[in-house]
């Protein structure tokens, strides 16, 4: 089933920067990042080369899950500022030619959301079925996680994630108990409409779309193909995209064949260790995010093998969805251990070289451009093992590495105390820094239509043995073709270039790192090197 919505054109050249608002820039010295802080750093993000933002939830919340427990979808959390501040952010971003995605959490609310409080009352009311309640205080929830004994209402309620996150009711694909409503029930329809209203509200204020949390989780007891959840999204996205055709939607789904059929423009390749998916094989093939010794990921110079494992997983998904939307690569995100320090700056450089030149829309997590490091930290706001990926941005050598003027003990999370903690200021002045490499890559991507999200991708070389990976990207209008060839390993690799349509035959190197030599129709890649060639 092809996508029923045209994709917003701006996504073809989008380069996203993900911001965890707690930790990016603190403008008022209270120790926590805020929206005016983000506004003050828009020029930084633009100069780095990103032209779009995804901001993690910034709405009113008790913050038991870092804001993924929303108490009021329509109000900015006071710790981040006001709704007007967010509108200013939209305006300032647009003035710079940038777009802003907010984070929509449609599957659950906070247990403190007024809908849930009213739904918990014993007497029936308009929100009684907004959440999934069983019909007795003693009843289990048919295998779904549930809570009992907390509310006046005679029933238990279903959870979507943590205990603080009751599931909103989008119905059951195949209701089997009296308390299980169908997807066509008025209650499920009301929930869908309520979520469309939330989208409509923020799109009306100038936001450019949403990253959608746990998008695959809406309808309960859905089949493996997510038929009913896909139908729910097609209805909701169909409605809102008719009103805002330029709005963009990226799902946290991890199965692009389903997500793009549901009407999303993009789906992320998530870090799934349990099935050792392609992203995991590329970036962190070890259960322990700090264990370099046993890392077998492709980008680890000493540990990894061929790129085939990644391609075997990635290619069928890319081929199946290339006409319907974008299957996007991330450097990391707020749920995933940063790649540093397990990967060294040289390894990161090759990793980013690939991630930022592949098809789909790339997402760079704040601080990855300087190689900010994952740290073992005690949990904060439901972060657990994720907390070490959420530390304050490291701007310069001043107090709190330039993140905040607060007392260090008042910071949301401690800054990296290492004497050699990477900072933007230091790397900006160093032509050979990771920051400058990322900046160069993003500029390369911006310059070349062959690197647009929708520019076709073909494998040139991916031998079973060795570390070589080469692929071509061809501009949609046929105006140029580039080959990206990389070698994350420690031994040289040679790659034959594909036949060129241009009369002169020899590939022209347009970008490189490490020792890369061109000999007629082949290139030799020294240890940990990458070259981009026009052919
Ligand atoms: C996925 C989000 O990315 C994560 O941070 C959150 O804890 C869960 N969904 C629950 O909303």
């Amino acid at each position: 089933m092809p996508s029923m919505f045209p994709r917003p054109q701006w996504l073809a050249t989008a380069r996203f920067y993900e911001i965890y608002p707690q930790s990016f820039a603190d403008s008022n010295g209270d120790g926590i990042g805020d929206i005016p802080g983000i506004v003050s750093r828009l020029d930084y993000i633009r100069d780095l080369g990103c032209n779009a933002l995804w901001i993690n939830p910034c709405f009113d919340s008790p913050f038991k899950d870092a804001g993924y427990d929303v108490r009021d979808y329509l109000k900015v959390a006071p710790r981040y500022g006001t709704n007007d501040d967010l509108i200013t952010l939209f305006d300032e971003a647009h003035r710079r030619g940038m777009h802003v995605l907010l984070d929509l959490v449609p599957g659950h609310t906070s247990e403190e959301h007024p809908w849930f409080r009213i739904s918990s009352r014993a007497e029936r009311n308009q929100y009684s079925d907004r959440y999934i309640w069983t019909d007795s205080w003693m009843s289990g929830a048919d295998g779904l996680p549930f809570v009992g004994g907390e509310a006046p209402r005679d029933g238990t309620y279903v959870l979507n994630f943590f205990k603080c996150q009751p599931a909103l009711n989008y119905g059951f694909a195949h209701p089997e108990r009296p308390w299980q409503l169908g997807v066509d029930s008025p209650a499920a329809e009301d929930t869908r409409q309520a979520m469309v209203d939330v989208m409509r509200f923020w799109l009306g204020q100038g936001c450019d779309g949403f990253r959608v949390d746990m998008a695959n989780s809406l309808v309960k007891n859905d089949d493996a193909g997510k038929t009913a959840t896909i139908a729910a999204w097609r209805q909701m996205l169909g409605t809102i995209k008719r009103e805002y055709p330029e709005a963009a939607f990226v799902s946290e789904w991890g199965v692009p064949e389903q997500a793009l059929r549901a009407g999303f423009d993009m789906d992320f390749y998530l870090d799934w260790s349990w099935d050792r998916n392609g992203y995991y094989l590329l970036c962190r093939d070890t259960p322990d995010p700090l264990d370099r010794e046993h890392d077998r990921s492709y980008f680890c110079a000493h540990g990894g093998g061929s790129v085939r494992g990644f391609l075997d997983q990635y290619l069928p998904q890319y081929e199946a969805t290339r006409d319907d939307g974008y299957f996007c690569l991330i450097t990391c995100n707020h749920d995933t251990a940063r790649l540093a320090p397990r990967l060294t700056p040289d390894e990161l450089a090759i990793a980013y070289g690939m991630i930022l030149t592949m098809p789909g829309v790339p997402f760079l997590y704040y601080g990855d451009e300087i190689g900010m490091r994952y740290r073992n930290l005690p949990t904060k706001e439901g972060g657990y093992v994720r907390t070490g990926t959420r530390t304050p941005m490291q701007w310069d050598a001043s107090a709190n590495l330039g993140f905040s003027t607060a007392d260090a003990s008042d910071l949301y999370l401690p800054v990296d105390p290492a004497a050699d903690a990477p900072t933007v200021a230091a790397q900006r002045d160093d032509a050979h820094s990771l920051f400058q490499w990322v900046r160069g890559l993003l500029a390369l991507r911006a310059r070349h239509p062959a690197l647009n999200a929708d520019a076709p991708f073909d494998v040139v070389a991916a031998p079973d043995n060795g570390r070589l990976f080469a692929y071509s990207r061809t501009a949609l209008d046929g105006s140029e073709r580039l080959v990206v060839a990389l070698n994350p390993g420690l031994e040289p690799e040679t790659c034959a270039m594909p036949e060129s349509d241009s009369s002169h035959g020899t590939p022209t190197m347009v970008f490189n790192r490490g020792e890369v030599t061109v000999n007629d129709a082949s290139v030799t890649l020294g240890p940990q090197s990458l070259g981009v060639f026009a052919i």
Side-chain angles (χ1 to χ4, degrees), residues 337-361:
R338 290 187 189 272
L339 304 188
R342 183 175 37 79
L343 297 187
T344 65
D346 282 335
E347 289 166 339
L348 290 176
I350 303 299
Y352 297 164
M354 177 175 151
I355 290 169
L356 298 178
T357 57
M358 284 285 280
V361 181

Side-chain angles (χ1 to χ4, degrees), residues 65 68 105 108 161-162 165 211 213-214 252 334-335 382 386 390:
D65 183 16
Y68 283 94
V105 189
H108 50 265
F161 196 66
F162 286 155
Q165 291 158 322
R211 174 270 188 186
D213 186 69
M214 293 173 68
E252 187 198 28
H334 64 289
D335 291 332
R386 307 173 294 182
R390 301 174 172 185

Side-chain angles (χ1 to χ4, degrees), residues 1 28 45 157 165 211 242 258 276 293 299 311 313 323 331 347 349 357 359 370 374 410-411 429 442 457 476 513:
M1 205 191 312
N28 60 0
I45 297 166
Y157 58 91
Q165 291 158 322
R211 174 270 188 186
R242 262 189 296 280
Q258 296 175 356
R276 300 183 73 243
E293 194 191 329
F299 292 128
L311 285 178
Q313 221 263 336
D323 296 331
T331 58
E347 289 166 339
T357 57
I370 54 170
Y374 177 77
D410 292 333
L411 297 186
D429 293 341
L442 289 165
F457 157 85
L476 264 190
R513 181 180 183 96

Side-chain angles (χ1 to χ4, degrees), residues 13 15 18 132 167 173 176 265 299 307 320 330 336 345 355 416 418 473 507 516:
T13 52
R15 302 172 299 279
E18 178 192 345
I132 306 172
E176 283 168 1
D265 304 295
F299 292 128
V307 76
I330 59 173
T336 298
I355 290 169
D416 185 348
R473 307 286 320 279
V516 183

Side-chain angles (χ1 to χ4, degrees), residues 311-522:
L311 285 178
D312 289 348
Q313 221 263 336
Y314 172 80
L315 276 179
Q317 302 189 80
Y318 169 71
E319 296 294 345
T321 58
R322 54 189 293 174
D323 296 331
D324 300 334
Y326 301 128
F327 186 20
C328 299
L329 289 177
I330 59 173
T331 58
C332 155
N333 72 17
H334 64 289
D335 291 332
T336 298
R338 290 187 189 272
L339 304 188
R342 183 175 37 79
L343 297 187
T344 65
D346 282 335
E347 289 166 339
L348 290 176
I350 303 299
Y352 297 164
M354 177 175 151
I355 290 169
L356 298 178
T357 57
M358 284 285 280
V361 181
F363 283 75
L364 180 76
Y365 185 56
Y366 82 95
D368 279 354
E369 68 272 32
I370 54 170
M372 269 175 62
R373 298 161 184 157
Y374 177 77
R375 299 174 56 215
N376 261 328
L377 291 176
T379 186
K380 174 88 175 183
E381 294 186 347
Y384 299 95
V385 73
R386 307 173 294 182
T387 305
T389 290
R390 301 174 172 185
T391 57
M393 180 68 182
Q394 298 162 197
W395 294 103
D396 56 39
S398 65
N400 302 320
L401 300 182
F403 164 67
S404 167
T405 55
D407 201 83
S409 59
D410 292 333
L411 297 186
Y412 173 75
L413 280 171
V415 296
D416 185 348
D420 64 348
T423 64
V424 170
Q427 294 199 13
R428 212 180 223 157
D429 293 341
D430 173 1
H432 303 292
S433 66
L434 188 61
F435 170 85
Q436 293 296 358
W437 170 247
V438 171
R439 197 160 169 249
L441 281 166
L442 289 165
L444 177 83
R445 192 171 172 112
R447 258 195 323 273
H448 288 282
L451 298 177
N452 282 0
D454 52 1
F457 157 85
D458 291 286
V459 174
V460 169
D464 286 336
N465 295 312
R467 312 301 304 281
L468 174 67
F469 180 31
Y471 46 97
S472 73
R473 307 286 320 279
T474 310
L476 264 190
D477 63 3
S479 60
E480 62 169 2
R481 189 167 177 213
L482 298 181
V483 170
V484 180
L486 52 129
N487 172 19
L490 298 171
E491 301 300 327
E493 298 276 357
T494 300
C495 175
M497 284 284 122
E499 289 279 307
S500 158
D501 294 341
S502 67
S503 49
H504 35 81
T506 309
T508 313
M509 186 148 73
V510 295
F511 198 72
N512 78 296
R513 181 180 183 96
E515 236 173 77
V516 183
T517 46
V518 182
N519 344 280
D520 290 338
S522 74

Side-chain angles (χ1 to χ4, degrees), residues 53 124 140 225 340:
L53 307 180
R124 272 206 70 79

